[in-house]
Structures are given as C-alpha cells and as structure tokens.
Amino acid sequence: MASRISLLSGATPIERAPRLAEALGIAADRFWIKRDDLIGLGGGGNKVRKLQYSLRRALDAHARALVTTGAPQSNHARLTAAAGARLGVDVVLVLTGAPAPITGNVLLDSLFGASIVWAEGEDAEARADDVTSQLERDGRQPFRIPFGGSDSHSAQGYTDAADEIIEQIGEFDQIVTAVGSGGTMAGLVSRLGPHSVVGVHCGAVDDPRSTVTGLLAGMPGAAVDPSSLRIDLDQVGEGYEHLTPAARQAMELFARTEGVVLDPTYTARAAAGLITGLADGTIGANERTVFLHSGGLPSVFAHEGVAGIRF
Ligand SMILES: *Cc1c(COP(=O)(O)O)cnc(C)c1O
C-alpha cells in the first residue's frame, strides 16, 4: 500500500520572479519561488505534504478523530481541520492559551468543522493527551498528529517536494525555507544534503538544529552532523508571534516586486534570512536558488503586527 494518501492535485508551480531577483541582486535565471502556498486544500501550505503521510497512518489505524496541537494561528491546525473534512474524520484542535478572536486560521478551523479546545493555562501537549484519552474512552478511535505535523515519517513529504523541484528545474544549488517544527527542512535535507538547504529559524522550537537532526536520524539515508546544517538563528527577534522589522520589509519587497504575499511568522522570516544571507555572503548570489513559499496567508489577517502597520 502506498505510504501516503493524496491531498495534492499535482505538482505545485515553481515560478521565476525577475523583479524580486533583481532587487535581491541575483540573476533572474537563477532564482525561483516554489509555490507550496498554492496547494489547493484548505487554503494551502506546506503542512499538506506532511499530512499526506500522517493521515495514511491514521486511516490505516481506522481513526475516527484526529487530535493535534498548535498556536492559535497555527497553519498546521487549520490544514489538519481541512484534511479531516475531506476525509470525513472528526478533528479536535488543542490550541495554546485563552480563547483567541475568531479570525484568520481560527475562523477557518471552525469553518472546516473542527472542535477547538483552548489549553488556557495548561501545556497544550498535556491537554491533548487528556483529550485523546477521553476520545479513546468514548470509543472514537483518536489518532494523534504531532506538533506542527512533524515526525520522521511525515517529513518525507518534503523529500517528495525536493524530487518535484528537481523534475521541474533540474539540479539546483540551494533552497531557503522557514523552520518551525522542522519536518520541512529535514525532508529537504534528506534528499538534497545539508549544504543545499538553508533553514531560517522562526522561534517555534527551542533548538532547531537538534530538532532537525533528530528528525533526520529517523529517516532513510546517512546520519547528518548537526554542525553541517545551515540554519539562520537570527530572525526570531522578540519571539515567534512578533513581526520583526526585517520580516516586515521582506513582506513589502515580495508584495511590491511580484505580488506575492508572505506570512508574518514563517515565510517573511525566511525571506528576511534570504536577504540577510545574500548581503553577508552566507547565501551565494551566483548559485541556483529556490525560495520555498510554504503558505500561511490566513494569518496575515489575524496578526497584530501586520494589522498595526500603516502602509
Ligand atoms: C509550519 C510552517 C512552516 C514550517 O514548517 P515545519 O515543517 O514545521 O518546520 C513554514 N511555513 C509555514 C507557512 C508554516 O505554516
């Protein structure tokens, strides 16, 4: 049996971005944006590729409810809700903190019919354990999907994505991606090797280097030395939920050169890492470079930092 279900309608587009490339100081024929934000399901984004693997396991286990955790504006939670709807499986989302406004991803979670449990003062993982046990007692056959949807199995979704890009444009030198729960970077590294992947830490985990190495350890292929991973640790700013000045500038640059919307939490930080890396030479401007657009559009409308900007 295939190890994944199909939630994609085909390869996502990969686009040139000549005005952006010029602004970045890269030759236009050496720069692409991989549009995983255009995945069709549930508003799109990178979590769908990982869910194709997790949900194969859930269906094999005859799950009747999916349980996962996230921040209030979690794209992973929203896409789990959408995938559950498509499969006809109930979804319970345990989100951190007190009930947040019904906007952005939270609004879509509800629209997709997911139940939301607010962890309030409690640890979301512990709260999700309780929710899962209760569903078990009720005979609902719950299946737990990890934080951010990342484990060594689901990360293969980005091994697939690396293959897909090579099919589209041939071999390339490097791909720049945001790092949240780490599965996206791990999957890319497992196919492309540590030297061809630049991760930009967004503050979702404490130690992204060990998170990504840990995921890779469970994947096929040679072990990866943590020190060989290229990770920019300098884009977190005041923390995960803050829009940094560099991320805001990156949002403006992508929007105003190419009409491409980045999200404030992940892709804007990844783009800020790209801009900084090109400026300080850690990202070579003469290399064939792909920027992974991993999604996140709904959070633009729910982010205090973005809403507060007077453009
Ligand atoms: C979750 C997310 C990421 C990070 O992916 P991980 O596999 O969790 O590291 C990047 N971009 C967006 C828009 C996301 O929602």
PDB file of all heavy atoms in Angstrom, residues 46-47 50 75 148 150 178-184 263 266-267 294-296, ligand 1:
ATOM      1  N   ASN A  46       2.576  24.216   3.423  1.00  0.00           N
ATOM      2  CA  ASN A  46       3.469  23.053   3.492  1.00  0.00           C
ATOM      3  C   ASN A  46       2.920  21.890   4.321  1.00  0.00           C
ATOM      4  O   ASN A  46       3.316  20.747   4.112  1.00  0.00           O
ATOM      5  CB  ASN A  46       4.843  23.484   4.036  1.00  0.00           C
ATOM      6  CG  ASN A  46       4.817  23.969   5.466  1.00  0.00           C
ATOM      7  OD1 ASN A  46       3.795  24.423   5.964  1.00  0.00           O
ATOM      8  ND2 ASN A  46       5.931  23.877   6.148  1.00  0.00           N
ATOM      9  N   LYS A  47       2.030  22.145   5.268  1.00  0.00           N
ATOM     10  CA  LYS A  47       1.572  21.066   6.150  1.00  0.00           C
ATOM     11  C   LYS A  47       0.842  19.964   5.377  1.00  0.00           C
ATOM     12  O   LYS A  47       0.813  18.825   5.826  1.00  0.00           O
ATOM     13  CB  LYS A  47       0.669  21.611   7.275  1.00  0.00           C
ATOM     14  CG  LYS A  47       1.344  22.660   8.154  1.00  0.00           C
ATOM     15  CD  LYS A  47       2.660  22.178   8.685  1.00  0.00           C
ATOM     16  CE  LYS A  47       3.410  23.144   9.595  1.00  0.00           C
ATOM     17  NZ  LYS A  47       3.616  24.505   9.127  1.00  0.00           N
ATOM     18  N   LYS A  50       3.049  16.962   4.504  1.00  0.00           N
ATOM     19  CA  LYS A  50       3.339  16.103   5.661  1.00  0.00           C
ATOM     20  C   LYS A  50       2.095  15.309   6.062  1.00  0.00           C
ATOM     21  O   LYS A  50       2.183  14.135   6.409  1.00  0.00           O
ATOM     22  CB  LYS A  50       3.860  16.952   6.832  1.00  0.00           C
ATOM     23  CG  LYS A  50       5.190  17.624   6.509  1.00  0.00           C
ATOM     24  CD  LYS A  50       5.807  18.296   7.722  1.00  0.00           C
ATOM     25  CE  LYS A  50       5.137  19.612   8.054  1.00  0.00           C
ATOM     26  NZ  LYS A  50       5.742  20.271   9.238  1.00  0.00           N
ATOM     27  N   ASN A  75      -1.078  27.201  11.180  1.00  0.00           N
ATOM     28  CA  ASN A  75      -1.467  26.753   9.832  1.00  0.00           C
ATOM     29  C   ASN A  75      -1.640  25.241   9.807  1.00  0.00           C
ATOM     30  O   ASN A  75      -2.463  24.715   9.059  1.00  0.00           O
ATOM     31  CB  ASN A  75      -0.397  27.163   8.818  1.00  0.00           C
ATOM     32  CG  ASN A  75      -0.220  28.665   8.740  1.00  0.00           C
ATOM     33  OD1 ASN A  75      -1.177  29.382   8.470  1.00  0.00           O
ATOM     34  ND2 ASN A  75       0.982  29.150   8.996  1.00  0.00           N
ATOM     35  N   GLY A 148       2.993  20.631  14.847  1.00  0.00           N
ATOM     36  CA  GLY A 148       3.471  21.045  13.529  1.00  0.00           C
ATOM     37  C   GLY A 148       3.390  19.948  12.481  1.00  0.00           C
ATOM     38  O   GLY A 148       3.820  20.126  11.348  1.00  0.00           O
ATOM     39  N   SER A 150       5.107  17.307  12.383  1.00  0.00           N
ATOM     40  CA  SER A 150       6.432  16.814  12.006  1.00  0.00           C
ATOM     41  C   SER A 150       6.860  15.593  12.800  1.00  0.00           C
ATOM     42  O   SER A 150       6.929  15.639  14.029  1.00  0.00           O
ATOM     43  CB  SER A 150       7.495  17.906  12.222  1.00  0.00           C
ATOM     44  OG  SER A 150       7.369  18.910  11.258  1.00  0.00           O
ATOM     45  N   ALA A 178      11.634  28.347   5.745  1.00  0.00           N
ATOM     46  CA  ALA A 178      11.387  28.619   7.165  1.00  0.00           C
ATOM     47  C   ALA A 178      11.485  27.310   7.943  1.00  0.00           C
ATOM     48  O   ALA A 178      11.179  26.237   7.420  1.00  0.00           O
ATOM     49  CB  ALA A 178       9.996  29.226   7.333  1.00  0.00           C
ATOM     50  N   VAL A 179      11.915  27.414   9.210  1.00  0.00           N
ATOM     51  CA  VAL A 179      11.945  26.252  10.098  1.00  0.00           C
ATOM     52  C   VAL A 179      11.007  26.511  11.268  1.00  0.00           C
ATOM     53  O   VAL A 179      11.185  27.478  12.013  1.00  0.00           O
ATOM     54  CB  VAL A 179      13.373  25.979  10.633  1.00  0.00           C
ATOM     55  CG1 VAL A 179      13.363  24.791  11.583  1.00  0.00           C
ATOM     56  CG2 VAL A 179      14.341  25.740   9.495  1.00  0.00           C
ATOM     57  N   GLY A 180       9.975  25.664  11.376  1.00  0.00           N
ATOM     58  CA  GLY A 180       9.076  25.715  12.527  1.00  0.00           C
ATOM     59  C   GLY A 180       9.308  24.473  13.350  1.00  0.00           C
ATOM     60  O   GLY A 180      10.225  24.384  14.159  1.00  0.00           O
ATOM     61  N   SER A 181       8.482  23.458  13.122  1.00  0.00           N
ATOM     62  CA  SER A 181       8.662  22.186  13.831  1.00  0.00           C
ATOM     63  C   SER A 181       9.718  21.302  13.160  1.00  0.00           C
ATOM     64  O   SER A 181      10.022  20.219  13.659  1.00  0.00           O
ATOM     65  CB  SER A 181       7.325  21.449  13.913  1.00  0.00           C
ATOM     66  OG  SER A 181       6.824  21.179  12.615  1.00  0.00           O
ATOM     67  N   GLY A 182      10.262  21.732  12.052  1.00  0.00           N
ATOM     68  CA  GLY A 182      11.477  21.119  11.499  1.00  0.00           C
ATOM     69  C   GLY A 182      11.305  20.076  10.407  1.00  0.00           C
ATOM     70  O   GLY A 182      12.276  19.731   9.727  1.00  0.00           O
ATOM     71  N   GLY A 183      10.085  19.572  10.208  1.00  0.00           N
ATOM     72  CA  GLY A 183       9.911  18.492   9.242  1.00  0.00           C
ATOM     73  C   GLY A 183      10.207  18.907   7.806  1.00  0.00           C
ATOM     74  O   GLY A 183      10.740  18.113   7.016  1.00  0.00           O
ATOM     75  N   THR A 184       9.878  20.132   7.484  1.00  0.00           N
ATOM     76  CA  THR A 184      10.106  20.606   6.116  1.00  0.00           C
ATOM     77  C   THR A 184      11.598  20.619   5.809  1.00  0.00           C
ATOM     78  O   THR A 184      12.048  20.067   4.800  1.00  0.00           O
ATOM     79  CB  THR A 184       9.484  22.012   5.950  1.00  0.00           C
ATOM     80  OG1 THR A 184       8.078  21.889   6.214  1.00  0.00           O
ATOM     81  CG2 THR A 184       9.700  22.565   4.560  1.00  0.00           C
ATOM     82  N   ASP A 263       3.676  35.336   4.771  1.00  0.00           N
ATOM     83  CA  ASP A 263       3.023  35.395   6.081  1.00  0.00           C
ATOM     84  C   ASP A 263       4.027  35.946   7.102  1.00  0.00           C
ATOM     85  O   ASP A 263       5.231  35.799   6.937  1.00  0.00           O
ATOM     86  CB  ASP A 263       2.521  34.010   6.504  1.00  0.00           C
ATOM     87  CG  ASP A 263       3.639  33.161   7.071  1.00  0.00           C
ATOM     88  OD1 ASP A 263       4.525  32.752   6.294  1.00  0.00           O
ATOM     89  OD2 ASP A 263       3.677  32.942   8.294  1.00  0.00           O
ATOM     90  N   TYR A 266       6.364  32.878   9.320  1.00  0.00           N
ATOM     91  CA  TYR A 266       7.323  31.928   8.722  1.00  0.00           C
ATOM     92  C   TYR A 266       7.993  32.463   7.459  1.00  0.00           C
ATOM     93  O   TYR A 266       9.211  32.639   7.413  1.00  0.00           O
ATOM     94  CB  TYR A 266       6.610  30.616   8.386  1.00  0.00           C
ATOM     95  CG  TYR A 266       6.117  29.870   9.592  1.00  0.00           C
ATOM     96  CD1 TYR A 266       4.778  29.898   9.964  1.00  0.00           C
ATOM     97  CD2 TYR A 266       7.000  29.136  10.376  1.00  0.00           C
ATOM     98  CE1 TYR A 266       4.327  29.221  11.082  1.00  0.00           C
ATOM     99  CE2 TYR A 266       6.557  28.447  11.491  1.00  0.00           C
ATOM    100  CZ  TYR A 266       5.215  28.500  11.832  1.00  0.00           C
ATOM    101  OH  TYR A 266       4.776  27.835  12.936  1.00  0.00           O
ATOM    102  N   THR A 267       7.184  32.652   6.408  1.00  0.00           N
ATOM    103  CA  THR A 267       7.826  32.948   5.119  1.00  0.00           C
ATOM    104  C   THR A 267       8.465  34.340   5.101  1.00  0.00           C
ATOM    105  O   THR A 267       9.466  34.537   4.412  1.00  0.00           O
ATOM    106  CB  THR A 267       6.832  32.790   3.955  1.00  0.00           C
ATOM    107  OG1 THR A 267       5.642  33.539   4.234  1.00  0.00           O
ATOM    108  CG2 THR A 267       6.445  31.331   3.765  1.00  0.00           C
ATOM    109  N   SER A 294       5.985  28.522   1.733  1.00  0.00           N
ATOM    110  CA  SER A 294       5.343  27.418   2.451  1.00  0.00           C
ATOM    111  C   SER A 294       3.936  27.751   2.933  1.00  0.00           C
ATOM    112  O   SER A 294       3.328  26.960   3.657  1.00  0.00           O
ATOM    113  CB  SER A 294       6.247  26.997   3.615  1.00  0.00           C
ATOM    114  OG  SER A 294       6.746  28.131   4.284  1.00  0.00           O
ATOM    115  N   GLY A 295       3.399  28.920   2.550  1.00  0.00           N
ATOM    116  CA  GLY A 295       1.988  29.194   2.859  1.00  0.00           C
ATOM    117  C   GLY A 295       1.788  30.224   3.965  1.00  0.00           C
ATOM    118  O   GLY A 295       2.602  31.126   4.139  1.00  0.00           O
ATOM    119  N   GLY A 296       0.670  30.090   4.680  1.00  0.00           N
ATOM    120  CA  GLY A 296       0.432  30.945   5.837  1.00  0.00           C
ATOM    121  C   GLY A 296      -0.430  32.167   5.605  1.00  0.00           C
ATOM    122  O   GLY A 296      -0.608  32.989   6.510  1.00  0.00           O
TER     123      GLY A 296
HETATM  124  C1  LIG B   1       4.606  25.279   9.730  1.00  0.00           C
HETATM  125  C2  LIG B   1       5.078  26.239   8.711  1.00  0.00           C
HETATM  126  C3  LIG B   1       6.428  26.294   8.342  1.00  0.00           C
HETATM  127  C4  LIG B   1       7.478  25.457   8.987  1.00  0.00           C
HETATM  128  O1  LIG B   1       7.403  24.108   8.648  1.00  0.00           O
HETATM  129  P1  LIG B   1       7.940  22.998   9.645  1.00  0.00           P
HETATM  130  O2  LIG B   1       7.888  21.740   8.883  1.00  0.00           O
HETATM  131  O3  LIG B   1       7.009  22.996  10.835  1.00  0.00           O
HETATM  132  O4  LIG B   1       9.310  23.390  10.064  1.00  0.00           O
HETATM  133  C5  LIG B   1       6.791  27.185   7.347  1.00  0.00           C
HETATM  134  N1  LIG B   1       5.880  27.993   6.778  1.00  0.00           N
HETATM  135  C6  LIG B   1       4.591  27.982   7.108  1.00  0.00           C
HETATM  136  C7  LIG B   1       3.666  28.928   6.436  1.00  0.00           C
HETATM  137  C8  LIG B   1       4.138  27.096   8.089  1.00  0.00           C
HETATM  138  O5  LIG B   1       2.843  27.090   8.428  1.00  0.00           O
END
